[in-house]
Amino acid sequence: MKIFKFGGASVNSVERIQRLAGILRSHSQEKVLVVISAMGKTTNALEKVAEAFYGHHPEEALRLFRQVKDAHLTTAKYLLVRNYLAAEVQLREFFTEVEWLLHDKPVRAFDYYYDQIVCAGELLSTSIISAYLAESGIDNQWIDVRDIVRTDDNFRDAVIDWSFSANRVRHEVLPLFDDGDMVITQGFIGATSENESTTLGREGSDYTAAVFAGMLDAESLTIWKDVEGVMNADPKQFPDALILPTLNYDEVIEMAYYGAQVIHPKTIKPLENRGIPLYVKCFLDPALPGTVIHNKAVKGLSPIIVLKQQQALVHLHSKDFSFVGETGVERLYRLFGEIRVKPNLMQSGAVSLQVCLDDRADKIEQLALAASDFFDVQIEKGLTLLTIRHYDEPVLQRLTEGRQEVLRQQTKETVQVLMR
């Protein structure tokens, strides 16, 4: 069995959905579970619905949701003929799920409403695509992943109940392949024991696909993107970026840790547990080799470059000149957990600490205010953080030329330079 995952960019137009059908048709003799994200910018649009609702603007929330509804009904009309009426019935059931909530008033935390509203994106996209595949002669069975993936109620970053979910996969998903070769489901979402929708956090669709791969002991997982594979730098920032044909799990986790927009580390763990290879392929040209990620050693990698703009440096100095290593670092990491921020770079001296973070004004303000109880705090903004793995001096010199260095951290494998 194989697991395929298609992201929002691969289903953001009628033409791309038709292309997706072509890829799946070429695998029609294999058993494939397909995880599909919300179409294009649907998640962003639904986030605005949630914000309007929680901000006590119900009419605005309903207006924004109508736009989402109309976009999906239009896509369904373009794609479907015989199956349109049945698909419309299913779509309207999902519309109603959201609308009954929008006609109420918020009495719970924002994250709860976020999950109830945003989860609709994946349900809408998969129901349309499943109907289109069936109409195109590609037999498939659609399932609601919320009936399979059980989570806790940590809304927006829910934790999977592995035992319950694995049992559902064995008894509800696996038998579907006795009667057919393809199952269509959603990424990113799950449900609590109270049947409240949850989302799994950043890169949740990739994670869902990896969870199914692990629980079904799949032959492989393929993530279909609109790029040729995993690259050694963001091609929007570096037009000469290169494809990395082979990576291992450790390298991908390191890249993600430093901020590369690759595969989220939690996606890797279920694959690593069972030694399942991950392929990153281009849905625009499936013939391209893409990137394979596995658990074997990889040598001779090109320098891998991550450039993060809009960085803030928080300067912390001990108020009583006590060594920060004694209690200051412990307190600071406790604050990181409470505020839910991750330092991108951190250096300490005897009585001072310097922490580089993404410049999110609300988080920086929270951290500065809380840390001011035991540190003198200064903040510097507008900085850029350069990280290079497998660096060499010519590359480092070229990328830092003309910039003023603020901080540097360097090991044999990785160099980080914070620059003005």
Side-chain angles (χ1 to χ4, degrees):
M1 184 184 300
K2 294 180 178 179
I3 311 295
F4 284 177
K5 183 262 176 176
F6 291 90
S10 58
V11 292
N12 68 359
S13 68
V14 167
E15 184 272 331
R16 289 192 169 186
I17 292 171
Q18 291 168 336
R19 189 184 290 273
L20 175 151
I23 292 171
L24 294 181
R25 186 174 286 107
S26 68
H27 292 272
S28 59
Q29 301 306 309
E30 303 171 88
K31 294 194 180 297
V32 184
L33 183 137
V34 186
V35 173
I36 301 174
S37 298
M39 294 179 183
K41 301 296 184 183
T42 301
T43 299
N44 292 342
L46 290 168
E47 286 175 345
K48 290 178 181 177
V49 173
E51 288 163 5
F53 168 75
Y54 201 72
H56 299 279
H57 302 293
E59 293 304 319
E60 175 67 3
L62 287 164
R63 184 188 68 80
L64 290 169
F65 189 60
R66 273 196 300 274
Q67 293 177 354
V68 174
K69 289 167 56 178
D70 291 345
H72 284 82
L73 289 170
T74 299
T75 299
K77 285 173 184 173
Y78 272 110
L79 286 168
L80 303 171
V81 180
R82 296 191 313 276
N83 290 348
Y84 176 77
L85 290 178
E88 184 185 6
V89 169
Q90 189 178 31
L91 290 174
R92 293 198 181 279
E93 288 175 0
F94 298 137
F95 296 157
T96 302
E97 263 190 58
V98 175
E99 286 170 330
W100 74 261
L101 184 149
L102 297 181
H103 285 289
D104 207 344
K105 291 182 180 179
V107 293
R108 297 178 63 170
F110 173 76
D111 289 352
Y112 167 78
Y113 294 107
Y114 178 98
D115 281 5
Q116 309 319 301
I117 293 168
V118 168
C119 75
E122 275 70 15
L123 297 164
L124 298 172
S125 67
T126 52
S127 62
I128 292 172
I129 291 166
S130 174
Y132 174 68
L133 292 173
E135 193 161 297
S136 303
I138 303 171
D139 289 336
N140 69 91
Q141 297 189 68
W142 180 95
I143 58 172
D144 187 332
V145 75
R146 296 175 299 177
D147 295 331
I148 308 300
V149 175
R150 167 70 58 83
T151 74
D152 66 7
D153 61 358
N154 185 30
F155 298 104
R156 292 190 73 178
D157 196 16
V159 176
I160 292 175
D161 180 334
W162 285 86
S163 176
F164 181 94
S165 302
N167 187 59
R168 296 291 286 177
V169 167
R170 278 194 303 273
H171 292 99
E172 301 295 332
V173 178
L174 207 51
L176 297 176
F177 288 98
D178 294 337
D179 301 321
D181 293 334
M182 187 175 296
V183 171
I184 307 293
T185 195
Q186 307 79 37
F188 181 55
I189 63 178
T192 68
S193 58
E194 303 295 319
N195 287 325
E196 295 172 321
S197 298
T198 56
T199 62
L200 304 179
R202 180 180 160 225
E203 303 299 334
S205 290
D206 289 354
Y207 183 42
T208 301
V211 167
F212 275 115
M215 290 181 177
L216 291 166
D217 198 14
E219 172 190 331
S220 63
L221 165 59
T222 302
I223 294 178
W224 296 90
K225 291 178 169 280
D226 58 351
V227 293
E228 294 179 30
V230 178
M231 307 188 83
N232 75 323
D234 183 345
K236 294 174 185 173
Q237 296 174 319
F238 299 93
D240 57 349
L242 304 170
I243 292 290
L244 298 169
T246 308
L247 291 167
N248 60 29
Y249 299 135
D250 285 350
E251 188 63 44
V252 169
I253 290 171
E254 291 285 348
M255 290 170 69
Y257 174 79
Y258 289 113
Q261 298 300 304
V262 284
I263 309 300
H264 194 278
K266 70 179 183 181
T267 299
I268 296 299
K269 185 59 179 170
L271 305 177
E272 192 269 342
N273 286 346
R274 291 185 175 268
I276 298 168
L278 167 61
Y279 296 91
V280 179
K281 298 270 287 179
C282 179
F283 71 83
L284 296 172
D285 188 352
L288 293 173
T291 301
V292 59
I293 301 165
H294 49 53
N295 59 0
K296 301 171 187 174
V298 177
K299 295 182 179 179
L301 285 171
S302 305
I304 295 169
I305 303 162
V306 181
L307 194 64
K308 298 191 78 172
Q309 311 283 357
Q310 300 299 313
Q311 297 294 290
L313 183 62
V314 182
H315 301 265
L316 304 162
H317 192 281
S318 172
K319 284 186 172 182
D320 59 3
F321 285 87
S322 61
F323 290 151
V324 295
E326 293 174 354
T327 58
V329 173
E330 180 187 346
R331 287 175 172 177
L332 194 58
Y333 270 97
R334 194 179 305 127
L335 287 179
F336 292 157
E338 291 169 1
I339 299 170
R340 301 183 77 171
V341 295
K342 182 183 82 67
N344 296 324
L345 177 63
M346 186 166 162
Q347 281 191 4
S348 69
V351 294
S352 65
L353 285 162
Q354 297 184 86
V355 183
C356 173
L357 304 157
D358 293 340
D359 186 5
R360 290 184 54 189
D362 57 333
K363 299 289 187 182
I364 298 290
E365 201 172 300
Q366 264 185 283
L367 179 64
L369 186 62
S372 65
D373 289 342
F374 43 94
F375 287 114
D376 290 321
V377 182
Q378 290 185 319
I379 300 170
E380 184 177 357
K381 296 193 173 190
L383 303 175
T384 298
L385 179 61
L386 169 69
T387 303
I388 312 174
R389 281 187 59 74
H390 316 294
Y391 64 93
D392 56 43
E393 284 303 320
V395 170
L396 178 57
Q397 189 172 343
R398 174 170 63 86
L399 295 177
T400 56
E401 190 174 359
R403 306 295 292 268
Q404 183 181 356
E405 185 174 311
V406 179
L407 281 181
R408 177 186 292 220
Q409 207 161 82
Q410 198 161 352
T411 67
K412 184 179 177 182
E413 287 287 341
T414 305
V415 60
Q416 290 187 283
V417 181
L418 187 63
M419 306 177 291
R420 291 188 183 94

